[in-house]
Amino acid sequence: MGNITEMNSIKEIVERLADIMINPNSAIGFAEGALSVPLDFGYLVGGCLIPILAITVKQNE
């Protein structure tokens, strides 16, 4: 097992993480992040789809 100093630092880290997770600002940030997923997915699909369509159109010319 670790010594007392290591255990105290682990406890401090856990407490800090818990404080961050409980913080109302974190909840707002998580919600905003979740709401932006469809937009991010749209950008991803558009970024992949547009080059594919351009190649297809060029091949059909």
Side-chain angles (χ1 to χ4, degrees):
M1 264 326 254
N3 61 28
I4 299 295
T5 306
E6 289 177 10
M7 296 303 289
N8 286 339
S9 64
I10 292 172
K11 184 179 177 185
E12 288 174 13
I13 292 170
V14 170
E15 288 174 351
R16 289 172 65 189
L17 287 173
D19 289 341
I20 290 169
M21 292 172 62
I22 294 172
N23 188 336
N25 291 329
S26 294
I28 293 168
F30 287 135
E32 289 175 352
L35 292 175
S36 73
V37 169
L39 180 61
D40 297 337
F41 186 69
Y43 287 138
L44 176 66
V45 169
C48 294
L49 189 59
I50 290 171
I52 292 170
L53 290 175
I55 292 169
T56 304
V57 168
K58 191 169 188 174
Q59 288 176 347
N60 289 334
E61 288 179 347

